[in-house]
Amino acid sequence: MKYIIYILLSFNLMTFTISAEETRQVDKHEHGVGELNIAVEGSTIEFEFMIPGADIVGFEYVAKNDEDIAKINQALKTFDDYTNIFTLPSNSLCELNGQKVALKEEDEHDEHEEHDEHEEHDEHEEHDEHAEHAEENHNEFYAKYSFECGNINAIKEVNFPYFATFTNSGELEVQFISNMGSTSFGVEGDKPLINTDGKI
Ligand SMILES: [Zn+2]
């Protein structure tokens, strides 16, 4: 199993085992609350973030101008270096071996079912009606990072520079799963870390 996971990650595929991405609807999130799933299996640890665009760039409408686009691209670039988001103890000897960063727009299918106008949506970005429609839009930043660790038990805490990196950030709701069981944490900027001692 581990071998298979490693191969998938090394090609950076999206067809990974536990992917909330498949089932999750972007518009179900709560602004100010980012979600993070951490899964430990053997010597691998995986981080999967789903964070409302409001918490990252301060808006969720479809980018309207160059400034919006620049903000989104800058945010994606920031996610590209995971140390902007979280850090692991260096003595855990964890090496990044898979990564995916994306901006997930609202599921078009869902919207499509409810709004007939949706088909025209993309073609009419300049029309005034678009702004109204856009206000209802949601999107979120999705980021997944996988590590192979030489000494995974040394991960006694995980720190989150995330809160300092993104000034619009709210809380992070963390679900942590290992073969010791599962735990959840609520993390905020005033104490940006989780204590995983004894949980791996
Ligand atoms: Zn939203």
Side-chain angles (χ1 to χ4, degrees):
M1 188 59 184
K2 247 184 265 173
Y3 181 69
I4 294 169
I5 289 171
Y6 178 75
I7 296 296
L8 289 175
L9 289 173
S10 63
F11 287 97
N12 220 2
L13 292 187
M14 302 156 202
T15 51
F16 196 64
T17 44
I18 35 164
S19 185
E21 193 189 7
E22 301 297 327
T23 51
R24 186 186 164 82
Q25 289 182 350
V26 166
D27 61 349
K28 296 291 186 287
H29 62 212
E30 184 185 335
H31 295 174
V33 181
E35 291 179 38
L36 165 61
N37 296 321
I38 303 176
V40 178
E41 192 188 347
S43 58
T44 67
I45 184 165
E46 179 187 286
F47 293 75
E48 184 180 43
F49 291 84
M50 289 148 287
I51 303 178
D55 297 25
I56 303 297
V57 292
F59 64 87
E60 298 190 4
Y61 52 76
V62 177
K64 285 189 273 200
N65 52 43
D66 289 350
E67 195 188 337
D68 292 346
I69 292 166
K71 268 188 194 166
I72 288 170
N73 287 337
Q74 183 58 47
L76 290 169
K77 227 166 115 184
T78 302
F79 273 102
D80 266 341
D81 179 356
Y82 76 88
T83 61
N84 291 319
I85 313 299
F86 63 95
T87 57
L88 297 167
S90 56
N91 62 345
S92 60
L93 307 174
C94 294
E95 280 186 31
L96 187 70
N97 67 357
Q99 172 171 325
K100 182 190 168 194
V101 172
L103 176 67
K104 285 178 63 69
E105 317 259 32
E106 205 159 352
D107 187 341
E108 292 189 12
H109 284 288
D110 290 344
E111 212 178 313
H112 195 91
E113 282 162 21
E114 290 158 57
H115 303 283
D116 291 339
E117 317 94 276
H118 185 72
E119 277 190 350
E120 296 164 32
H121 186 100
D122 288 340
E123 295 162 33
H124 293 264
E125 283 185 358
E126 287 133 322
H127 290 197
D128 285 335
E129 312 94 83
H130 183 72
E132 290 173 34
H133 188 133
E135 279 175 3
E136 303 162 14
N137 275 12
H138 294 273
N139 63 27
E140 58 191 27
F141 285 81
Y142 177 89
K144 184 154 133 178
Y145 311 89
S146 304
F147 299 84
E148 178 73 31
C149 304
N151 183 17
I152 199 158
N153 291 306
I155 304 178
K156 309 227 183 272
E157 63 177 44
V158 179
N159 281 270
F160 294 96
Y162 164 75
F163 296 99
T165 298
F166 294 112
T167 51
N168 287 317
S169 62
E171 184 191 351
L172 275 182
E173 271 182 5
V174 184
Q175 298 291 327
F176 184 92
I177 300 170
S178 72
N179 61 6
M180 310 277 286
S182 66
T183 321
S184 58
F185 302 89
V187 192
E188 295 185 42
D190 56 354
K191 196 184 173 224
L193 60 90
I194 58 173
N195 184 341
T196 53
D197 197 7
K199 294 186 170 67
I200 293 176

